[in-house]
Amino acid sequence: MDSTRSLRLRELTRYPVVTSTHRIHALPVYIQIAEELRQNVESGIYRVGDQLPTEAQLSDRFNVNRHTLRRAIAMLRDEGLLRVDRGRGTFVAAKPIRYPIGKRVRFNEALKAHGKEGGYRLLRASEVPVEGAVARNLNLPVGASAVVIERIGLADGQPIDVTNGYFPSDRFPDLVERAQNMKSLSKLLREEYDCDHIRRSTCVSARTVKPNDARILGVPLNSPILLVESINCDRDGTVVEYGVTRFRGDSMELLFTNS
Amino acid sequence: MDSTRSLRLRELTRYPVVTSTHRIHALPVYIQIAEELRQNVESGIYRVGDQLPTEAQLSDRFNVNRHTLRRAIAMLRDEGLLRVDRGRGTFVAAKPIRYPIGKRVRFNEALKAHGKEGGYRLLRASEVPVEGAVARNLNLPVGASAVVIERIGLADGQPIDVTNGYFPSDRFPDLVERAQNMKSLSKLLREEYDCDHIRRSTCVSARTVKPNDARILGVPLNSPILLVESINCDRDGTVVEYGVTRFRGDSMELLFTNS
DNA sequence: CTCCATTTGTGCGTATGTATA
DNA sequence: CTATACATACGCACAAATGGA
């Protein structure tokens, strides 16, 4: 049998009709199938969360052995397009939220670009004495006072990240009280404290989630997270926030562009 | 017993002498101890890889209960400064390599800044037909030819990352052959192909390592990695490389700055 | 709870086309 | 040319997980 034949598609009406205008001949069949399925997802035939036909059905539709089809599925699973649940089926994976990192901190805007409703849930707002990395990055002596604001970032109600933001107490008087009912932190800083809140540096590494964060984010233990340390400044360059954010690794991408 | 007393240090000559100029009074003892130890590490009294005194010795030195000392150790362990091996001891953890992400791709320079010798090991250089994300990002039709260069990034001989770089074949003729004995990829592109290799965008997410990468990087399965997709352009803005890099999460930080 | 159908995961054997020495 | 190694594809069987009766 010819192992590099092109696809012979048995086009069943029950399944999305496949375009046959751009037939590919030289590529392995499993890659051709992956491309077909990718197109099906990108063109909206299968939408996020949808269950794909079973492996048996798909291998029938593409007229290939189940192994061949599984290899195509595996490719798309590896690149994050599909999610395969043993015993349940194959589903279109939720696209990771792409968060562009620029000078401004625009979390809600990034979510809206994905058609999601952003939001925060305040866990804690209190004054603490600074130490370690917090003291160092805020340029405060150890033991000085800072306001820590711990909050969960939500996308359509689902937890996406946990952030501990540290603000120098003397720059932001009464921040603890004012943070209680805020809707947007950027807005609060801008309107109440005349602070522009510009991102100076962002340091990214990968870790495994800690038990407490796993509980908050609703992910299993040993899940990967993006650990992001950000230093945000005022217009005059003084540091106004040292933030430590733990993003869910599976549903978040940080995009840095050189415009 | 006063839980917020300051440190009363029994300064033993066997241990590094502690500065007593900046006595702190209001902070919890375990934080004061953590600050002391952090200072000890930062000032070079304990160096990377050194074993700290045992918990018993340290609790004796700081005149506190072992539980109090352990809490200080835990803080420093959680923030990555120390590494605690059950049954062996406590050690100063290797500092993560901070890799500044700018317009230019300067991996070796980043390593030299950490006093490490950079290097590459070529795993594969071959021509492949493109599909999926590679085709999309290189703006090539599915099935077109690209050169894939798979290489391990080394710091002092230790694997730090695995990168698959995809280059359009027609822009880089004979790249497969020329890549065999190259020392620097940037240099090769610049000198042989008159290509400037400027970073356009960098997309970061966190994943768990795949078995093959775990073997290459020498990390256990389920370790977190930084998955970095980068798109690099020529002077004229055409895409010349689509790269997928998997960094060890524990020993690498990516630093993005808004200059 | 057990039982069972459905669905994905894994292993082995076979065959063929492609690339290389 | 042969010999070898590798990638691709198919067929069959069973294990493991899920979910409903």
Side-chain angles (χ1 to χ4, degrees), chain A residues 197-230:
Chain A
H197 207 237
I198 295 170
R199 196 184 294 274
R200 170 183 280 179
S201 72
T202 307
C203 192
V204 183
S205 59
R207 303 289 163 88
T208 48
V209 69
K210 291 186 182 172
N212 193 40
D213 287 348
R215 192 178 47 74
I216 292 171
L217 295 174
V219 297
L221 289 174
N222 294 330
S223 299
I225 56 156
L226 275 177
L227 182 66
V228 179
E229 288 179 77
S230 49

Side-chain angles (χ1 to χ4, degrees), chain B residues 85-206:
Chain B
D85 290 0
R86 184 174 179 174
R88 292 190 60 228
T90 305
F91 303 83
V92 179
K95 280 184 189 173
I97 298 163
R98 189 162 284 202
Y99 182 17
I101 303 290
K103 275 190 168 43
R104 301 294 167 150
V105 185
R106 304 218 180 282
F107 187 64
N108 283 7
E109 281 80 346
L111 292 179
K112 273 187 193 136
H114 281 77
K116 291 182 182 295
E117 184 74 20
Y120 283 118
R121 195 155 72 80
L122 188 67
L123 290 180
R124 188 165 71 109
S126 57
E127 270 186 78
V128 291
V130 301
E131 42 84 27
V134 180
R136 201 165 48 247
N137 285 298
L138 288 181
N139 297 318
L140 293 176
V142 173
S145 178
V147 175
V148 55
I149 293 182
E150 188 171 355
R151 61 197 194 280
I152 306 174
L154 304 169
D156 286 347
Q158 293 296 313
I160 289 295
D161 74 87
V162 194
T163 298
N164 283 39
Y166 298 89
F167 304 83
S169 293
D170 53 1
R171 173 67 179 83
F172 302 100
D174 303 316
L175 179 56
V176 172
E177 292 74 24
R178 294 183 187 177
Q180 297 299 330
N181 298 316
M182 66 166 179
K183 291 183 68 177
S184 161
L185 186 56
S186 306
K187 196 175 171 186
L188 177 67
L189 298 182
R190 192 170 58 248
E191 298 183 353
E192 301 286 332
Y193 298 99
D194 188 34
C195 173
D196 231 12
H197 207 236
I198 295 169
R199 195 185 295 274
R200 170 183 280 177
S201 71
T202 307
C203 192
V204 183
S205 59

Side-chain angles (χ1 to χ4, degrees), chain A:
Chain A
M1 175 172 177
D2 182 3
S3 66
T4 58
R5 62 176 192 170
S6 65
L7 285 178
R8 292 193 304 266
L9 299 171
R10 188 193 301 169
E11 303 190 354
L12 302 177
T13 52
R14 306 190 281 148
Y15 299 115
V17 177
V18 187
T19 61
S20 55
T21 51
H22 290 88
R23 279 290 161 82
I24 309 155
H25 291 273
L27 289 175
V29 175
Y30 72 92
I31 289 183
Q32 298 182 47
I33 294 176
E35 291 294 329
E36 281 286 346
L37 292 175
R38 194 200 315 282
Q39 278 298 106
N40 288 172
V41 171
E42 282 171 5
S43 63
I45 295 173
Y46 303 122
R47 306 195 176 199
V48 170
D50 283 0
Q51 179 169 10
L52 265 63
T54 67
E55 293 178 350
Q57 287 172 318
L58 284 174
S59 56
D60 204 45
R61 160 180 158 193
F62 288 113
N63 220 344
V64 296
N65 187 275
R66 194 172 141 240
H67 283 301
T68 309
L69 180 106
R70 278 177 60 75
R71 200 158 166 187
I73 299 281
M75 283 187 57
L76 301 177
R77 169 178 52 78
D78 286 349
E79 69 183 59
L81 190 68
L82 299 181
R83 172 174 53 85
V84 181
D85 290 1
R86 184 176 182 169
R88 293 192 61 230
T90 306
F91 304 83
V92 178
K95 282 183 188 172
I97 297 164
R98 189 162 284 201
Y99 181 16
I101 303 289
K103 277 189 167 44
R104 300 295 166 149
V105 184
R106 304 219 179 282
F107 187 64
N108 283 7
E109 280 81 345
L111 292 179
K112 273 187 193 136
H114 280 78
K116 291 182 183 295
E117 184 74 20
Y120 284 117
R121 196 156 72 79
L122 188 67
L123 291 180
R124 187 166 69 110
S126 57
E127 268 186 83
V128 293
V130 301
E131 44 82 26
V134 179
R136 201 164 49 245
N137 284 299
L138 288 180
N139 298 319
L140 293 176
V142 173
S145 177
V147 175
V148 54
I149 293 182
E150 189 171 354
R151 61 198 192 281
I152 306 176
L154 304 169
D156 286 346
Q158 293 295 313
I160 290 294
D161 73 86
V162 194
T163 298
N164 284 39
Y166 297 89
F167 304 83
S169 293
D170 52 3
R171 173 69 178 82
F172 301 100
D174 303 316
L175 179 55
V176 171
E177 291 73 24
R178 294 184 187 179
Q180 298 299 330
N181 297 316
M182 67 166 177
K183 291 184 67 177
S184 161
L185 185 56
S186 307
K187 198 175 169 185
L188 177 67
L189 298 181
R190 192 172 56 248
E191 297 182 354
E192 301 287 332
Y193 298 99
D194 187 36
C195 173
D196 231 12
H197 207 237
I198 295 170
R199 196 184 294 274
R200 170 183 280 179
S201 72
T202 307
C203 192
V204 183
S205 59
R207 303 289 163 88
T208 48
V209 69
K210 291 186 182 172
N212 193 40
D213 287 348
R215 192 178 47 74
I216 292 171
L217 295 174
V219 297
L221 289 174
N222 294 330
S223 299
I225 56 156
L226 275 177
L227 182 66
V228 179
E229 288 179 77
S230 49
I231 297 175
N232 296 325
C233 293
D234 209 340
R235 271 183 300 271
D236 60 2
T238 56
V239 178
V240 293
E241 180 188 8
Y242 169 65
V244 179
T245 301
R246 291 85 77 197
F247 285 107
R248 289 182 56 153
D250 59 347
S251 55
M252 204 72 199
E253 291 177 345
L254 305 183
L255 179 67
F256 301 85
T257 48
N258 295 318
S259 53

